[in-house]
Amino acid sequence: MEKSPHHHHPHLPSLHGSMLLLLALLAPLARAQYEHMGYPPGYPEPEQEMYSAPHIPADTPRIQLRLAGDKRKHNEGRVEVFYSGEWGTVCDDDFSIHNAQVVCRELGYLEAMSWSPSAKYGKGEGRVWFDNVHCSGKESTLALCASNGIGVSDCKHSEDVGVICSDKRIPGFKFINTLPNHVENLNIQVEDVRIRAILSSYRKRIPVTEGYVEVKDGGKWKQICNADWNPQNSRVICGMFGFPGERKYNARVYKMFARRRKPSYWDYSVNCTGNEAHLSSCHLGQGDMAEGKDNGTCTGGLPVVVSCVPGRAFAPTPQSGFRKAFRQEQPLVRLRGGAIVGEGRVEVLKGGEWGTICDDHWSLLASSVVCRELGFGTAKESLSGGRLGQGMGPVHMNEVQCSGFEKSITECLFDKESLGCSHEEDAAVRCNVPAMGFQEQLRLRGGRNPFEGRVEVLVERNGSLVWGTVCSEGWGTMEAMVTCRQLGLGFASSAFQETWYWPGDVSADRVAMSGVRCSGTEMTLSHCLHHGAHLACPKGGGPKPAPDLVLNPQVVEQTTYMEDRPMFMLQCAYEEDCLASSSRESPATAIRRLLRFSSQIHNNGQSDFRPKAGRHSWVWHECHRHYHSMEVFTHYDLFSLNGTKVAEGHKASFCLEDSECDEGIDKRYECANFGEQGITVGCWDTYRHDIDCQWVDISDIKPGDYIFQVVINPNYEVPESDYSNNIMKCRCRYDGNRVWMYSCHNGKEPQYIYFKSLQNNSVILRVKGLIPLVPNHVIA
């Protein structure tokens, strides 16, 4: 079906060379995801609240808190209370995020992120000191919150509550020991950590890979004495900042530097195993580890220096001129379904087939092995329960157990059977990635909220950095997706080319970037193909995750067959242009040969797949007696082995509905009676082999071997979290009487061919075959 051209309103202002994005937020604190990495040179750090000791009434019970149990990181765990000479726990009855806020701030963290009931971090011991706790969130200690009374509880340890606090500590926080007989030394707190580039050659590079390790103490940055420093400590620091490993450095240069400027040392020494996710999780103390170190001095020693090895995608570059697109480093493992670089569902390749990992015993340790394997740092979060979407195919690994030093997750011990594991238990990760400063080179202006607006980029012009707009010519969903990723805002919801109604910054009205074409994997717009210094621009909100459609390849293999039908039985299909062009000359009694199959299209994403068009613009098809909500939804094509298209079919317009759903999920969409159309998360839309247009017309092809290809949502009309799995390819054999489909698989990358354009002598990058996975790219 022909798409109608876009008509401009005659009374509206002409299109300025810019565009607007409506962005979807993946997590409620999306902007905070890079905060722990610090800021690039030249950007002021945000003002921080400084700690002041709270006033606690004299009659308040004196308690002490700690996080314990089967912890994944230093800032989470089972809440334990020390009272009356004994450690105990807190019951999850009536617990709330306000209670968690009080606990986290009492422990010196900026805020609570979440809390967990039912002994998620293991069962504690001793008394359950607090039950039915009710806090407003502003109390200075848990002991001031309303409860049944300290020690009054009917709970078992299977109800022990846990909390997850922010990574950031309250600046200047000092633990005040109110108990003379407390069990542990809880006074050593890490406010913040950074790698500070010292040598001029490293100060100009992004990301910062080498320099002093500095700890913020009482709001001031201090160095660490290297007297007892070991390579395991360096490994932990590098992992925190997004680097998979550490390397040697030129100590002589730093020795000279330390002589010129007297360091200010932190009072504590560090001893890590190498597998900690954060410096705070290492053993911090004085004792025998800090011989020769007394009250902020480092006799005979020097400040600790680390030099980290970045993954290939993050090789240091000067401030301007990022050129590399993101590439996976390890072909055995990949991340899918994540909104930004460094996060996603973990998939492993085994026997030529991609599959997932079951979340039984899935840990931060195993997640860190995956992250390092892919060229990132340690994992900042280990996710279970299909949190970043459900995969397809087999579950390859279960009950994964790693030492933390494996080069690949495939080297860890695991159960190969995966009995009882479904894709609802798919494991995922969020990795620490280097601070590249990308989000500082892009901004949104003029939108109704922080997640939408005109895109403005920071570019170098005549030796200075200036803000400008991006030409809207060719701007689409793929470019919008990269912009959202660069800003740390999750998936794109919509991409707009007309922006007159939301003006940006007047000083940034000039077009600064044009010809932008993204494949969708880039970390920043500057990684996408775009025009260089010679610009060419002819035309001078709310939070929402994304769907992810995947075709089930096994169903195609199992349902393929051939059928001969006369033209008089194909009238509806002919009207919808579902037959080969030669059918136009065929008489009513002529036979057409059809390659038929079923399509089962799953929504494995995190939100429902809805058509872009509203109900008012859906088209009624009299023949098939239903409304079509999308003009182009799927392409079915047959190619020769050299990539030439020899036959095609398509479901040009689709009636989207839930045919079946996973257990426990209700159908929401049904085409009948002008019903709402879409595909619910966890459901699939099945187009049976025996319905019109569910075929490829092969009347004109000769017997032989072919490649069969299906592409879903080929024009990226609806934003998805992962476009790489929208294509499916099979080998197809046709002997003139029968047809076979085999080796069907998702995600086959296209082949690229280069040729020179006659216009402007530019190089054109096109995708071999009719349907590209990425738009055509122009390289100036």
Side-chain angles (χ1 to χ4, degrees):
M1 185 174 289
E2 198 67 28
K3 287 189 84 172
S4 59
H6 180 71
H7 296 288
H8 293 281
H9 196 285
H11 303 296
L12 298 183
S14 62
L15 176 65
H16 189 276
S18 57
M19 81 295 301
L20 177 92
L21 280 185
L22 181 63
L23 302 169
L25 187 64
L26 183 67
L29 299 173
R31 287 188 181 278
Q33 64 187 318
Y34 291 116
E35 280 182 6
H36 68 284
M37 301 174 184
Y39 292 78
Y43 291 97
E45 293 197 19
E47 287 188 20
Q48 293 181 312
E49 167 191 358
M50 285 299 289
Y51 177 77
S52 56
H55 172 71
I56 299 175
D59 58 348
T60 307
R62 291 297 190 254
I63 64 169
Q64 192 164 298
L65 300 183
R66 70 180 180 188
L67 299 181
D70 181 18
K71 292 190 292 186
R72 294 184 294 169
K73 284 180 78 175
H74 65 286
N75 56 317
E76 60 181 312
R78 181 175 63 249
V79 180
E80 294 200 344
V81 180
F82 190 74
Y83 178 75
S84 188
E86 183 184 350
W87 283 103
T89 62
V90 177
C91 183
D92 60 16
D93 290 351
D94 295 343
F95 206 82
S96 70
I97 192 67
H98 303 299
N99 299 0
Q101 180 78 353
V102 172
V103 169
C104 289
R105 290 190 65 81
E106 189 171 356
L107 285 166
Y109 297 98
L110 271 178
E111 60 184 337
M113 306 305 290
S114 64
W115 62 277
S116 304
S118 308
K120 177 185 174 182
Y121 297 99
K123 296 179 183 179
E125 296 179 347
R127 302 274 296 276
V128 177
W129 283 124
F130 287 98
D131 187 8
N132 297 109
V133 183
H134 292 270
C135 305
S136 69
K138 296 183 177 171
E139 293 85 353
S140 52
T141 170
L142 194 67
L144 285 172
C145 298
S147 70
N148 291 350
I150 194 159
V152 181
S153 171
D154 59 357
C155 295
K156 298 176 181 176
H157 284 299
S158 58
E159 300 171 82
D160 286 344
V161 80
V163 297
I164 302 175
C165 305
S166 64
D167 267 339
K168 289 271 190 184
R169 284 199 169 276
I170 300 169
F173 177 85
K174 295 289 183 189
F175 184 86
I176 300 168
N177 177 24
T178 59
L179 300 170
N181 58 343
H182 71 293
V183 176
E184 293 180 4
N185 176 12
L186 296 179
N187 290 303
I188 304 174
Q189 307 288 352
V190 179
E191 282 177 33
D192 206 354
V193 188
R194 72 178 181 186
I195 300 174
R196 181 163 70 94
I198 299 299
L199 307 183
S200 59
S201 56
Y202 281 94
R203 283 204 298 270
K204 295 173 185 174
R205 295 187 187 183
I206 295 176
V208 175
T209 59
E210 182 175 308
Y212 281 174
V213 178
E214 297 188 332
V215 178
K216 191 176 268 189
D217 184 16
K220 294 180 180 177
W221 289 104
K222 296 183 178 180
Q223 293 82 46
I224 300 174
C225 178
N226 71 353
D228 298 286
W229 193 262
N230 61 55
Q232 286 74 28
N233 298 350
S234 297
R235 174 180 159 90
V236 170
I237 297 293
C238 290
M240 283 173 59
F241 290 96
F243 306 115
E246 75 289 347
R247 62 184 165 200
K248 293 182 179 178
Y249 59 91
N250 187 345
R252 189 167 53 86
V253 183
Y254 288 98
K255 197 169 186 178
M256 291 167 57
F257 185 86
R259 282 178 187 154
R260 290 205 306 270
R261 287 195 193 171
K262 190 172 185 247
S264 172
Y265 288 106
W266 195 41
D267 288 337
Y268 306 101
S269 56
V270 178
N271 187 19
C272 307
T273 65
N275 278 328
E276 292 86 355
H278 193 276
L279 179 67
S280 295
S281 301
C282 299
H283 181 72
L284 308 174
Q286 290 172 309
D288 349 15
M289 292 172 38
E291 285 178 28
K293 184 164 166 248
D294 180 28
N295 196 23
T297 62
C298 182
T299 310
L302 296 167
V304 164
V305 175
V306 297
S307 185
C308 303
V309 183
R312 274 184 298 181
F314 303 98
T317 61
Q319 178 86 28
S320 60
F322 297 96
R323 289 291 177 263
K324 297 183 194 68
F326 178 65
R327 292 287 179 271
Q328 297 285 358
E329 290 199 301
Q330 168 58 263
L332 292 177
V333 180
R334 67 184 185 186
L335 300 182
R336 285 289 181 266
I340 58 171
V341 172
E343 71 171 39
R345 179 178 62 253
V346 183
E347 297 188 354
V348 291
L349 185 64
K350 181 181 175 186
E353 189 174 13
W354 287 100
T356 60
I357 296 179
C358 188
D359 63 13
D360 293 349
H361 298 159
W362 186 243
S363 66
L364 200 68
L365 204 58
S367 298
S368 289
V369 171
V370 169
C371 290
R372 290 184 193 273
E373 180 177 5
L374 291 170
F376 307 117
T378 43
K380 59 183 174 185
E381 201 171 352
S382 179
L383 301 167
S384 55
R387 284 267 303 279
L388 293 184
Q390 296 180 27
M392 291 186 70
V395 179
H396 282 324
M397 302 172 75
N398 185 23
E399 298 186 358
V400 179
Q401 293 182 312
C402 305
S403 70
F405 291 96
E406 292 86 355
K407 296 292 182 191
S408 168
I409 192 72
T410 56
E411 296 175 12
C412 298
L413 297 173
F414 65 94
D415 183 352
K416 298 175 184 176
E417 296 303 319
S418 301
L419 294 174
C421 282
S422 68
H423 287 298
E424 292 175 358
E425 300 171 85
D426 283 344
V429 297
R430 288 197 175 110
C431 306
N432 286 318
V433 298
M436 302 296 287
F438 290 148
Q439 62 272 39
E440 306 297 342
Q441 299 161 9
L442 199 66
R443 69 187 185 190
L444 301 180
R445 287 290 186 269
R448 297 164 295 185
N449 57 56
F451 316 122
E452 66 183 19
R454 186 176 79 174
V455 179
E456 297 177 358
V457 293
L458 190 64
V459 295
E460 189 176 355
R461 288 284 179 268
N462 302 322
S464 59
L465 293 172
V466 296
W467 288 98
T469 60
V470 182
C471 182
S472 64
E473 183 77 5
W475 182 264
T477 302
M478 299 305 276
E479 290 71 34
M481 295 292 267
V482 173
T483 301
C484 295
R485 178 182 298 126
Q486 183 173 351
L487 288 167
L489 294 176
F491 298 114
S493 175
S494 303
F496 298 94
Q497 292 188 347
E498 295 184 65
T499 62
W500 55 268
Y501 39 83
W502 278 339
D505 197 312
V506 176
S507 65
D509 276 351
R510 287 183 61 187
V511 174
M513 184 183 283
S514 64
V516 181
R517 294 291 182 275
C518 303
S519 68
T521 60
E522 298 88 351
M523 292 184 282
T524 162
L525 272 188
S526 58
H527 284 179
C528 299
L529 297 169
H530 62 276
H531 297 149
H534 303 290
L535 301 173
C537 191
K539 293 181 182 177
K544 184 170 69 177
D548 182 22
L549 295 189
V550 184
L551 185 74
N552 189 330
Q554 284 75 34
V555 171
V556 175
E557 281 191 20
Q558 293 162 5
T559 57
T560 299
Y561 65 99
M562 199 175 68
E563 182 190 16
D564 289 345
R565 267 201 172 192
M567 275 297 295
F568 67 82
M569 292 180 66
L570 296 169
Q571 189 58 40
C572 272
Y574 179 79
E575 288 176 14
E576 289 201 27
D577 201 22
C578 294
L579 299 170
S581 55
S582 61
S583 65
R584 294 169 195 159
E585 314 299 328
S586 300
T589 54
I591 300 296
R592 304 300 298 181
R593 178 157 284 187
L594 307 174
L595 168 62
R596 309 200 69 149
F597 54 93
S598 295
S599 292
Q600 192 183 90
I601 298 166
H602 294 245
N603 182 359
N604 288 349
Q606 297 174 67
S607 72
D608 295 355
F609 184 95
R610 300 297 309 278
K612 186 178 178 181
R615 294 162 71 102
H616 63 280
S617 60
W618 293 356
V619 179
W620 172 257
H621 280 251
E622 187 64 35
C623 261
H624 295 133
R625 310 293 298 170
H626 60 236
Y627 285 91
H628 287 173
S629 58
M630 289 184 73
E631 286 190 68
V632 180
F633 181 69
T634 311
H635 286 197
Y636 306 139
D637 297 304
L638 208 61
F639 295 88
S640 67
L641 296 183
N642 69 6
T644 306
K645 189 172 74 162
V646 294
E648 64 179 335
H650 61 285
K651 291 290 289 182
S653 303
F654 259 53
C655 152
L656 296 162
E657 62 182 3
D658 295 327
S659 302
E660 291 181 76
C661 299
D662 289 328
E663 189 174 342
I665 297 176
D666 295 325
K667 298 178 185 178
R668 297 180 60 184
Y669 304 106
E670 187 176 7
C671 291
N673 303 317
F674 198 38
E676 287 291 343
Q677 293 193 22
I679 307 176
T680 306
V681 174
C683 299
W684 54 93
D685 195 356
T686 301
Y687 294 86
R688 285 173 50 90
H689 55 80
D690 53 3
I691 65 174
D692 267 359
C693 296
Q694 190 60 33
W695 61 57
V696 175
D697 184 348
I698 59 171
S699 306
D700 305 322
I701 73 165
K702 298 175 182 177
D705 288 303
Y706 298 94
I707 294 169
F708 174 63
Q709 176 178 286
V710 178
V711 182
I712 307 168
N713 193 16
N715 296 338
Y716 311 115
E717 197 175 328
V718 177
E720 292 184 52
S721 63
D722 186 358
Y723 287 105
S724 66
N725 54 19
N726 283 33
I727 190 167
M728 187 217 70
K729 291 196 175 186
C730 302
R731 292 298 299 271
C732 178
R733 177 163 291 177
Y734 169 53
D735 68 0
N737 300 303
R738 291 171 299 173
V739 67
W740 296 269
M741 208 81 81
Y742 61 98
S743 297
C744 294
H745 58 282
N746 286 317
K748 176 67 176 173
E749 294 295 330
Q751 292 177 287
Y752 296 97
I753 53 174
Y754 293 84
F755 62 92
K756 217 171 192 182
S757 168
L758 298 176
Q759 185 178 5
N760 300 330
N761 203 33
S762 59
V763 179
I764 310 292
L765 169 61
R766 292 194 186 277
V767 182
K768 195 171 182 182
L770 176 70
I771 303 300
L773 271 180
V774 296
N776 297 333
H777 288 210
V778 180
I779 309 170

